Amino acid sequence: MKRIETVEQFEAVISGDKPTIIKFYTTWCPDCVRLNMFIDDIVRDYRQYDWFEIDRDQFPELGEKYQVLGIPSLLVFRNGKKIAHLHSADAKTPEEVRAFLQSLPE
């Protein structure tokens, strides 16, 4: 998963026509650590998406703009628009994350 370092980079990666998944996280979040324990296998299984991560604490304005109220959250973008959002409460297990990804439109 590639790390986003600037707002400009964020805007560039979400603007493509290929679905892009952004993981919002923080360094102090225990649920983020738990997600990191299994997310690599999921990324390998869902290569049809571009995967990125961004530290919510470094970019609070993006978290606010895209309604990231809990972390970790997975947001799916296409053509600059948010098309799906897996909230932190539903991102605790690999099964929950996989079910979310399977529910996404092709």
mmCIF file of all heavy atoms in Angstrom, residues 37-77:
data_model
loop_
_atom_site.group_PDB
_atom_site.id
_atom_site.type_symbol
_atom_site.label_atom_id
_atom_site.label_comp_id
_atom_site.label_asym_id
_atom_site.label_seq_id
_atom_site.Cartn_x
_atom_site.Cartn_y
_atom_site.Cartn_z
ATOM 1 N N MET A 37 -2.699 -6.058 10.422
ATOM 2 C CA MET A 37 -2.291 -7.451 10.575
ATOM 3 C C MET A 37 -2.848 -8.334 9.450
ATOM 4 O O MET A 37 -2.261 -9.366 9.133
ATOM 5 C CB MET A 37 -2.731 -7.986 11.939
ATOM 6 C CG MET A 37 -1.990 -7.330 13.089
ATOM 7 S SD MET A 37 -2.678 -7.680 14.720
ATOM 8 C CE MET A 37 -2.603 -9.443 14.794
ATOM 9 N N PHE A 38 -3.954 -7.919 8.814
ATOM 10 C CA PHE A 38 -4.539 -8.761 7.768
ATOM 11 C C PHE A 38 -4.763 -8.070 6.424
ATOM 12 O O PHE A 38 -5.116 -8.722 5.446
ATOM 13 C CB PHE A 38 -5.859 -9.390 8.253
ATOM 14 C CG PHE A 38 -6.950 -8.410 8.600
ATOM 15 C CD1 PHE A 38 -7.727 -7.819 7.624
ATOM 16 C CD2 PHE A 38 -7.222 -8.112 9.934
ATOM 17 C CE1 PHE A 38 -8.748 -6.939 7.946
ATOM 18 C CE2 PHE A 38 -8.241 -7.238 10.274
ATOM 19 C CZ PHE A 38 -9.013 -6.650 9.276
ATOM 20 N N ILE A 39 -4.515 -6.778 6.331
ATOM 21 C CA ILE A 39 -4.861 -6.047 5.114
ATOM 22 C C ILE A 39 -3.991 -6.434 3.919
ATOM 23 O O ILE A 39 -4.462 -6.415 2.774
ATOM 24 C CB ILE A 39 -4.854 -4.514 5.354
ATOM 25 C CG1 ILE A 39 -5.577 -3.779 4.211
ATOM 26 C CG2 ILE A 39 -3.437 -3.980 5.491
ATOM 27 C CD1 ILE A 39 -7.045 -3.987 4.169
ATOM 28 N N ASP A 40 -2.739 -6.822 4.126
ATOM 29 C CA ASP A 40 -1.868 -7.154 2.993
ATOM 30 C C ASP A 40 -2.422 -8.309 2.167
ATOM 31 O O ASP A 40 -2.345 -8.286 0.933
ATOM 32 C CB ASP A 40 -0.451 -7.468 3.468
ATOM 33 C CG ASP A 40 0.293 -6.223 3.941
ATOM 34 O OD1 ASP A 40 -0.134 -5.100 3.596
ATOM 35 O OD2 ASP A 40 1.298 -6.377 4.656
ATOM 36 N N ASP A 41 -2.982 -9.326 2.816
ATOM 37 C CA ASP A 41 -3.574 -10.449 2.086
ATOM 38 C C ASP A 41 -4.766 -9.981 1.259
ATOM 39 O O ASP A 41 -4.974 -10.435 0.128
ATOM 40 C CB ASP A 41 -4.025 -11.554 3.047
ATOM 41 C CG ASP A 41 -2.855 -12.292 3.670
ATOM 42 O OD1 ASP A 41 -1.749 -12.290 3.084
ATOM 43 O OD2 ASP A 41 -3.046 -12.873 4.760
ATOM 44 N N ILE A 42 -5.542 -9.071 1.802
ATOM 45 C CA ILE A 42 -6.708 -8.556 1.085
ATOM 46 C C ILE A 42 -6.263 -7.719 -0.116
ATOM 47 O O ILE A 42 -6.819 -7.844 -1.209
ATOM 48 C CB ILE A 42 -7.608 -7.753 2.043
ATOM 49 C CG1 ILE A 42 -8.213 -8.716 3.076
ATOM 50 C CG2 ILE A 42 -8.688 -6.990 1.280
ATOM 51 C CD1 ILE A 42 -8.979 -8.057 4.191
ATOM 52 N N VAL A 43 -5.245 -6.890 0.075
ATOM 53 C CA VAL A 43 -4.722 -6.080 -1.037
ATOM 54 C C VAL A 43 -4.267 -7.000 -2.173
ATOM 55 O O VAL A 43 -4.548 -6.741 -3.351
ATOM 56 C CB VAL A 43 -3.571 -5.166 -0.552
ATOM 57 C CG1 VAL A 43 -2.862 -4.508 -1.724
ATOM 58 C CG2 VAL A 43 -4.103 -4.107 0.416
ATOM 59 N N ARG A 44 -3.598 -8.096 -1.845
ATOM 60 C CA ARG A 44 -3.146 -9.045 -2.875
ATOM 61 C C ARG A 44 -4.331 -9.671 -3.619
ATOM 62 O O ARG A 44 -4.252 -9.923 -4.819
ATOM 63 C CB ARG A 44 -2.298 -10.150 -2.252
ATOM 64 C CG ARG A 44 -0.840 -9.772 -2.088
ATOM 65 C CD ARG A 44 0.025 -10.960 -1.764
ATOM 66 N NE ARG A 44 -0.202 -11.501 -0.432
ATOM 67 C CZ ARG A 44 0.285 -10.984 0.686
ATOM 68 N NH1 ARG A 44 1.041 -9.909 0.636
ATOM 69 N NH2 ARG A 44 0.027 -11.538 1.852
ATOM 70 N N ASP A 45 -5.416 -9.921 -2.918
ATOM 71 C CA ASP A 45 -6.584 -10.553 -3.536
ATOM 72 C C ASP A 45 -7.436 -9.578 -4.339
ATOM 73 O O ASP A 45 -8.249 -10.003 -5.169
ATOM 74 C CB ASP A 45 -7.461 -11.211 -2.468
ATOM 75 C CG ASP A 45 -6.795 -12.421 -1.832
ATOM 76 O OD1 ASP A 45 -5.819 -12.956 -2.411
ATOM 77 O OD2 ASP A 45 -7.259 -12.838 -0.751
ATOM 78 N N TYR A 46 -7.279 -8.286 -4.085
ATOM 79 C CA TYR A 46 -8.097 -7.264 -4.756
ATOM 80 C C TYR A 46 -7.199 -6.291 -5.503
ATOM 81 O O TYR A 46 -7.213 -5.094 -5.268
ATOM 82 C CB TYR A 46 -8.988 -6.545 -3.735
ATOM 83 C CG TYR A 46 -10.110 -7.420 -3.240
ATOM 84 C CD1 TYR A 46 -9.923 -8.269 -2.151
ATOM 85 C CD2 TYR A 46 -11.348 -7.417 -3.871
ATOM 86 C CE1 TYR A 46 -10.945 -9.092 -1.707
ATOM 87 C CE2 TYR A 46 -12.377 -8.232 -3.427
ATOM 88 C CZ TYR A 46 -12.168 -9.071 -2.343
ATOM 89 O OH TYR A 46 -13.180 -9.887 -1.910
ATOM 90 N N ARG A 47 -6.462 -6.821 -6.442
ATOM 91 C CA ARG A 47 -5.520 -6.007 -7.219
ATOM 92 C C ARG A 47 -6.201 -5.142 -8.267
ATOM 93 O O ARG A 47 -5.543 -4.336 -8.917
ATOM 94 C CB ARG A 47 -4.474 -6.898 -7.879
ATOM 95 C CG ARG A 47 -3.573 -7.554 -6.866
ATOM 96 C CD ARG A 47 -2.603 -8.498 -7.529
ATOM 97 N NE ARG A 47 -1.955 -9.294 -6.505
ATOM 98 C CZ ARG A 47 -0.664 -9.451 -6.417
ATOM 99 N NH1 ARG A 47 0.131 -8.899 -7.299
ATOM 100 N NH2 ARG A 47 -0.149 -10.177 -5.456
ATOM 101 N N GLN A 48 -7.496 -5.320 -8.454
ATOM 102 C CA GLN A 48 -8.204 -4.471 -9.416
ATOM 103 C C GLN A 48 -8.331 -3.035 -8.911
ATOM 104 O O GLN A 48 -8.710 -2.142 -9.644
ATOM 105 C CB GLN A 48 -9.587 -5.045 -9.763
ATOM 106 C CG GLN A 48 -10.613 -5.020 -8.645
ATOM 107 C CD GLN A 48 -10.655 -6.297 -7.815
ATOM 108 O OE1 GLN A 48 -9.625 -6.876 -7.501
ATOM 109 N NE2 GLN A 48 -11.863 -6.720 -7.457
ATOM 110 N N TYR A 49 -7.979 -2.835 -7.639
ATOM 111 C CA TYR A 49 -7.992 -1.502 -7.040
ATOM 112 C C TYR A 49 -6.562 -1.016 -6.826
ATOM 113 O O TYR A 49 -5.659 -1.804 -6.579
ATOM 114 C CB TYR A 49 -8.704 -1.527 -5.675
ATOM 115 C CG TYR A 49 -10.108 -2.052 -5.745
ATOM 116 C CD1 TYR A 49 -10.413 -3.331 -5.290
ATOM 117 C CD2 TYR A 49 -11.132 -1.275 -6.282
ATOM 118 C CE1 TYR A 49 -11.718 -3.822 -5.366
ATOM 119 C CE2 TYR A 49 -12.431 -1.762 -6.351
ATOM 120 C CZ TYR A 49 -12.707 -3.031 -5.898
ATOM 121 O OH TYR A 49 -13.985 -3.507 -5.978
ATOM 122 N N ASP A 50 -6.390 0.305 -6.897
ATOM 123 C CA ASP A 50 -5.152 0.918 -6.429
ATOM 124 C C ASP A 50 -5.348 1.199 -4.942
ATOM 125 O O ASP A 50 -6.398 1.714 -4.548
ATOM 126 C CB ASP A 50 -4.865 2.226 -7.178
ATOM 127 C CG ASP A 50 -4.396 1.988 -8.600
ATOM 128 O OD1 ASP A 50 -3.826 0.919 -8.872
ATOM 129 O OD2 ASP A 50 -4.615 2.872 -9.443
ATOM 130 N N TRP A 51 -4.360 0.856 -4.133
ATOM 131 C CA TRP A 51 -4.464 0.978 -2.676
ATOM 132 C C TRP A 51 -3.482 2.027 -2.168
ATOM 133 O O TRP A 51 -2.296 1.996 -2.504
ATOM 134 C CB TRP A 51 -4.136 -0.356 -2.012
ATOM 135 C CG TRP A 51 -5.166 -1.420 -2.230
ATOM 136 C CD1 TRP A 51 -5.303 -2.217 -3.329
ATOM 137 C CD2 TRP A 51 -6.193 -1.813 -1.321
ATOM 138 N NE1 TRP A 51 -6.350 -3.087 -3.153
ATOM 139 C CE2 TRP A 51 -6.917 -2.853 -1.926
ATOM 140 C CE3 TRP A 51 -6.564 -1.375 -0.046
ATOM 141 C CZ2 TRP A 51 -7.991 -3.478 -1.307
ATOM 142 C CZ3 TRP A 51 -7.637 -1.999 0.577
ATOM 143 C CH2 TRP A 51 -8.341 -3.032 -0.048
ATOM 144 N N PHE A 52 -3.981 2.927 -1.325
ATOM 145 C CA PHE A 52 -3.161 3.959 -0.705
ATOM 146 C C PHE A 52 -3.569 4.089 0.752
ATOM 147 O O PHE A 52 -4.653 3.674 1.150
ATOM 148 C CB PHE A 52 -3.366 5.315 -1.401
ATOM 149 C CG PHE A 52 -2.853 5.356 -2.804
ATOM 150 C CD1 PHE A 52 -3.648 4.956 -3.861
ATOM 151 C CD2 PHE A 52 -1.562 5.788 -3.070
ATOM 152 C CE1 PHE A 52 -3.182 4.984 -5.161
ATOM 153 C CE2 PHE A 52 -1.077 5.825 -4.372
ATOM 154 C CZ PHE A 52 -1.890 5.420 -5.417
ATOM 155 N N GLU A 53 -2.689 4.713 1.542
ATOM 156 C CA GLU A 53 -3.020 5.007 2.933
ATOM 157 C C GLU A 53 -2.630 6.443 3.246
ATOM 158 O O GLU A 53 -1.705 6.990 2.647
ATOM 159 C CB GLU A 53 -2.333 4.030 3.895
ATOM 160 C CG GLU A 53 -0.829 4.065 3.875
ATOM 161 C CD GLU A 53 -0.208 3.035 4.812
ATOM 162 O OE1 GLU A 53 -0.932 2.215 5.397
ATOM 163 O OE2 GLU A 53 1.019 3.061 4.948
ATOM 164 N N ILE A 54 -3.375 7.030 4.175
ATOM 165 C CA ILE A 54 -3.125 8.417 4.563
ATOM 166 C C ILE A 54 -3.370 8.548 6.067
ATOM 167 O O ILE A 54 -4.330 7.973 6.598
ATOM 168 C CB ILE A 54 -4.014 9.389 3.750
ATOM 169 C CG1 ILE A 54 -3.615 10.846 3.995
ATOM 170 C CG2 ILE A 54 -5.491 9.156 4.022
ATOM 171 C CD1 ILE A 54 -4.229 11.821 2.994
ATOM 172 N N ASP A 55 -2.487 9.260 6.727
ATOM 173 C CA ASP A 55 -2.607 9.477 8.167
ATOM 174 C C ASP A 55 -3.633 10.582 8.418
ATOM 175 O O ASP A 55 -3.434 11.730 8.041
ATOM 176 C CB ASP A 55 -1.240 9.869 8.739
ATOM 177 C CG ASP A 55 -1.223 9.950 10.250
ATOM 178 O OD1 ASP A 55 -2.257 10.311 10.860
ATOM 179 O OD2 ASP A 55 -0.161 9.680 10.833
ATOM 180 N N ARG A 56 -4.731 10.207 9.028
ATOM 181 C CA ARG A 56 -5.836 11.152 9.282
ATOM 182 C C ARG A 56 -5.374 12.354 10.097
ATOM 183 O O ARG A 56 -5.841 13.476 9.886
ATOM 184 C CB ARG A 56 -6.965 10.411 10.012
ATOM 185 C CG ARG A 56 -8.029 11.305 10.632
ATOM 186 C CD ARG A 56 -9.172 11.511 9.721
ATOM 187 N NE ARG A 56 -10.344 12.156 10.261
ATOM 188 C CZ ARG A 56 -10.442 13.330 10.840
ATOM 189 N NH1 ARG A 56 -9.383 14.046 11.122
ATOM 190 N NH2 ARG A 56 -11.597 13.831 11.199
ATOM 191 N N ASP A 57 -4.453 12.144 11.030
ATOM 192 C CA ASP A 57 -3.978 13.240 11.870
ATOM 193 C C ASP A 57 -3.162 14.262 11.080
ATOM 194 O O ASP A 57 -3.122 15.435 11.444
ATOM 195 C CB ASP A 57 -3.136 12.712 13.030
ATOM 196 C CG ASP A 57 -3.989 12.079 14.116
ATOM 197 O OD1 ASP A 57 -5.234 12.229 14.079
ATOM 198 O OD2 ASP A 57 -3.413 11.418 14.996
ATOM 199 N N GLN A 58 -2.504 13.838 10.012
ATOM 200 C CA GLN A 58 -1.715 14.769 9.208
ATOM 201 C C GLN A 58 -2.579 15.572 8.246
ATOM 202 O O GLN A 58 -2.172 16.641 7.783
ATOM 203 C CB GLN A 58 -0.634 14.018 8.422
ATOM 204 C CG GLN A 58 0.451 13.464 9.305
ATOM 205 C CD GLN A 58 1.531 12.763 8.511
ATOM 206 O OE1 GLN A 58 1.393 12.525 7.314
ATOM 207 N NE2 GLN A 58 2.619 12.432 9.177
ATOM 208 N N PHE A 59 -3.779 15.045 7.932
ATOM 209 C CA PHE A 59 -4.662 15.703 6.969
ATOM 210 C C PHE A 59 -6.095 15.764 7.506
ATOM 211 O O PHE A 59 -7.011 15.187 6.926
ATOM 212 C CB PHE A 59 -4.622 14.954 5.625
ATOM 213 C CG PHE A 59 -3.250 14.906 5.026
ATOM 214 C CD1 PHE A 59 -2.424 13.814 5.250
ATOM 215 C CD2 PHE A 59 -2.762 15.958 4.270
ATOM 216 C CE1 PHE A 59 -1.149 13.773 4.718
ATOM 217 C CE2 PHE A 59 -1.492 15.925 3.726
ATOM 218 C CZ PHE A 59 -0.675 14.829 3.959
ATOM 219 N N PRO A 60 -6.292 16.467 8.636
ATOM 220 C CA PRO A 60 -7.636 16.502 9.229
ATOM 221 C C PRO A 60 -8.684 17.103 8.296
ATOM 222 O O PRO A 60 -9.856 16.727 8.348
ATOM 223 C CB PRO A 60 -7.446 17.340 10.495
ATOM 224 C CG PRO A 60 -6.198 18.115 10.275
ATOM 225 C CD PRO A 60 -5.337 17.274 9.384
ATOM 226 N N GLU A 61 -8.266 18.010 7.416
ATOM 227 C CA GLU A 61 -9.217 18.622 6.495
ATOM 228 C C GLU A 61 -9.789 17.598 5.518
ATOM 229 O O GLU A 61 -10.961 17.663 5.146
ATOM 230 C CB GLU A 61 -8.585 19.809 5.750
ATOM 231 C CG GLU A 61 -7.526 19.442 4.726
ATOM 232 C CD GLU A 61 -6.132 19.127 5.279
ATOM 233 O OE1 GLU A 61 -5.942 19.061 6.506
ATOM 234 O OE2 GLU A 61 -5.202 18.940 4.460
ATOM 235 N N LEU A 62 -8.980 16.614 5.114
ATOM 236 C CA LEU A 62 -9.486 15.572 4.217
ATOM 237 C C LEU A 62 -10.422 14.629 4.972
ATOM 238 O O LEU A 62 -11.440 14.200 4.437
ATOM 239 C CB LEU A 62 -8.322 14.787 3.593
ATOM 240 C CG LEU A 62 -7.458 15.566 2.608
ATOM 241 C CD1 LEU A 62 -6.287 14.721 2.138
ATOM 242 C CD2 LEU A 62 -8.284 16.051 1.429
ATOM 243 N N GLY A 63 -10.069 14.321 6.205
ATOM 244 C CA GLY A 63 -10.945 13.496 7.016
ATOM 245 C C GLY A 63 -12.305 14.149 7.201
ATOM 246 O O GLY A 63 -13.347 13.498 7.107
ATOM 247 N N GLU A 64 -12.288 15.437 7.438
ATOM 248 C CA GLU A 64 -13.546 16.161 7.612
ATOM 249 C C GLU A 64 -14.330 16.229 6.306
ATOM 250 O O GLU A 64 -15.535 15.966 6.277
ATOM 251 C CB GLU A 64 -13.254 17.577 8.127
ATOM 252 C CG GLU A 64 -14.503 18.352 8.466
ATOM 253 C CD GLU A 64 -14.172 19.699 9.099
ATOM 254 O OE1 GLU A 64 -13.250 19.778 9.926
ATOM 255 O OE2 GLU A 64 -14.873 20.668 8.744
ATOM 256 N N LYS A 65 -13.656 16.545 5.230
ATOM 257 C CA LYS A 65 -14.313 16.671 3.926
ATOM 258 C C LYS A 65 -15.007 15.380 3.514
ATOM 259 O O LYS A 65 -16.103 15.403 2.955
ATOM 260 C CB LYS A 65 -13.280 17.069 2.865
ATOM 261 C CG LYS A 65 -13.853 17.201 1.472
ATOM 262 C CD LYS A 65 -12.809 17.660 0.482
ATOM 263 C CE LYS A 65 -13.403 17.828 -0.908
ATOM 264 N NZ LYS A 65 -12.400 18.317 -1.873
ATOM 265 N N TYR A 66 -14.363 14.236 3.800
ATOM 266 C CA TYR A 66 -14.908 12.942 3.367
ATOM 267 C C TYR A 66 -15.569 12.165 4.499
ATOM 268 O O TYR A 66 -15.803 10.977 4.384
ATOM 269 C CB TYR A 66 -13.819 12.127 2.668
ATOM 270 C CG TYR A 66 -13.408 12.773 1.375
ATOM 271 C CD1 TYR A 66 -12.210 13.486 1.279
ATOM 272 C CD2 TYR A 66 -14.244 12.727 0.262
ATOM 273 C CE1 TYR A 66 -11.856 14.108 0.094
ATOM 274 C CE2 TYR A 66 -13.888 13.358 -0.918
ATOM 275 C CZ TYR A 66 -12.697 14.039 -0.998
ATOM 276 O OH TYR A 66 -12.354 14.665 -2.168
ATOM 277 N N GLN A 67 -15.887 12.839 5.589
ATOM 278 C CA GLN A 67 -16.662 12.292 6.710
ATOM 279 C C GLN A 67 -16.024 11.044 7.319
ATOM 280 O O GLN A 67 -16.698 10.058 7.593
ATOM 281 C CB GLN A 67 -18.097 12.019 6.268
ATOM 282 C CG GLN A 67 -18.789 13.277 5.821
ATOM 283 C CD GLN A 67 -19.924 13.017 4.862
ATOM 284 O OE1 GLN A 67 -19.996 11.998 4.220
ATOM 285 N NE2 GLN A 67 -20.817 13.987 4.765
ATOM 286 N N VAL A 68 -14.714 11.117 7.529
ATOM 287 C CA VAL A 68 -14.003 10.037 8.216
ATOM 288 C C VAL A 68 -14.091 10.342 9.709
ATOM 289 O O VAL A 68 -13.284 11.071 10.256
ATOM 290 C CB VAL A 68 -12.534 9.941 7.741
ATOM 291 C CG1 VAL A 68 -11.800 8.852 8.506
ATOM 292 C CG2 VAL A 68 -12.475 9.696 6.243
ATOM 293 N N LEU A 69 -15.104 9.776 10.339
ATOM 294 C CA LEU A 69 -15.348 10.051 11.747
ATOM 295 C C LEU A 69 -14.686 9.026 12.654
ATOM 296 O O LEU A 69 -14.506 9.258 13.839
ATOM 297 C CB LEU A 69 -16.854 10.099 12.012
ATOM 298 C CG LEU A 69 -17.622 11.109 11.163
ATOM 299 C CD1 LEU A 69 -19.110 11.011 11.426
ATOM 300 C CD2 LEU A 69 -17.111 12.515 11.404
ATOM 301 N N GLY A 70 -14.347 7.878 12.115
ATOM 302 C CA GLY A 70 -13.666 6.836 12.874
ATOM 303 C C GLY A 70 -12.534 6.258 12.041
ATOM 304 O O GLY A 70 -12.547 6.325 10.820
ATOM 305 N N ILE A 71 -11.566 5.708 12.738
ATOM 306 C CA ILE A 71 -10.429 5.123 12.052
ATOM 307 C C ILE A 71 -10.200 3.706 12.565
ATOM 308 O O ILE A 71 -10.504 3.430 13.732
ATOM 309 C CB ILE A 71 -9.157 5.982 12.232
ATOM 310 C CG1 ILE A 71 -8.999 6.314 13.701
ATOM 311 C CG2 ILE A 71 -9.163 7.198 11.352
ATOM 312 C CD1 ILE A 71 -7.702 6.891 14.071
ATOM 313 N N PRO A 72 -9.721 2.812 11.741
ATOM 314 C CA PRO A 72 -9.454 2.998 10.320
ATOM 315 C C PRO A 72 -10.753 3.042 9.515
ATOM 316 O O PRO A 72 -11.762 2.479 9.922
ATOM 317 C CB PRO A 72 -8.646 1.763 9.957
ATOM 318 C CG PRO A 72 -9.165 0.703 10.879
ATOM 319 C CD PRO A 72 -9.482 1.421 12.165
ATOM 320 N N SER A 73 -10.703 3.702 8.387
ATOM 321 C CA SER A 73 -11.795 3.715 7.428
ATOM 322 C C SER A 73 -11.218 3.488 6.044
ATOM 323 O O SER A 73 -10.125 3.977 5.740
ATOM 324 C CB SER A 73 -12.536 5.047 7.445
ATOM 325 O OG SER A 73 -13.340 5.174 8.596
ATOM 326 N N LEU A 74 -11.953 2.742 5.229
ATOM 327 C CA LEU A 74 -11.564 2.528 3.842
ATOM 328 C C LEU A 74 -12.552 3.283 2.966
ATOM 329 O O LEU A 74 -13.763 3.051 3.050
ATOM 330 C CB LEU A 74 -11.584 1.044 3.481
ATOM 331 C CG LEU A 74 -10.634 0.135 4.244
ATOM 332 C CD1 LEU A 74 -10.836 -1.313 3.812
ATOM 333 C CD2 LEU A 74 -9.196 0.555 4.045
ATOM 334 N N LEU A 75 -12.037 4.179 2.140
ATOM 335 C CA LEU A 75 -12.867 4.951 1.225
ATOM 336 C C LEU A 75 -12.503 4.565 -0.195
ATOM 337 O O LEU A 75 -11.319 4.400 -0.510
ATOM 338 C CB LEU A 75 -12.652 6.451 1.409
ATOM 339 C CG LEU A 75 -13.356 7.101 2.607
ATOM 340 C CD1 LEU A 75 -12.820 6.585 3.924
ATOM 341 C CD2 LEU A 75 -13.252 8.597 2.543
ATOM 342 N N VAL A 76 -13.507 4.424 -1.036
ATOM 343 C CA VAL A 76 -13.293 4.061 -2.433
ATOM 344 C C VAL A 76 -13.664 5.269 -3.290
ATOM 345 O O VAL A 76 -14.751 5.839 -3.135
ATOM 346 C CB VAL A 76 -14.148 2.839 -2.840
ATOM 347 C CG1 VAL A 76 -13.806 2.409 -4.263
ATOM 348 C CG2 VAL A 76 -13.951 1.694 -1.855
ATOM 349 N N PHE A 77 -12.743 5.632 -4.175
ATOM 350 C CA PHE A 77 -12.935 6.776 -5.059
ATOM 351 C C PHE A 77 -12.826 6.338 -6.511
ATOM 352 O O PHE A 77 -12.079 5.411 -6.839
ATOM 353 C CB PHE A 77 -11.854 7.841 -4.810
ATOM 354 C CG PHE A 77 -11.960 8.510 -3.479
ATOM 355 C CD1 PHE A 77 -11.324 7.987 -2.364
ATOM 356 C CD2 PHE A 77 -12.689 9.681 -3.330
ATOM 357 C CE1 PHE A 77 -11.410 8.600 -1.129
ATOM 358 C CE2 PHE A 77 -12.790 10.303 -2.091
ATOM 359 C CZ PHE A 77 -12.149 9.768 -0.994
#
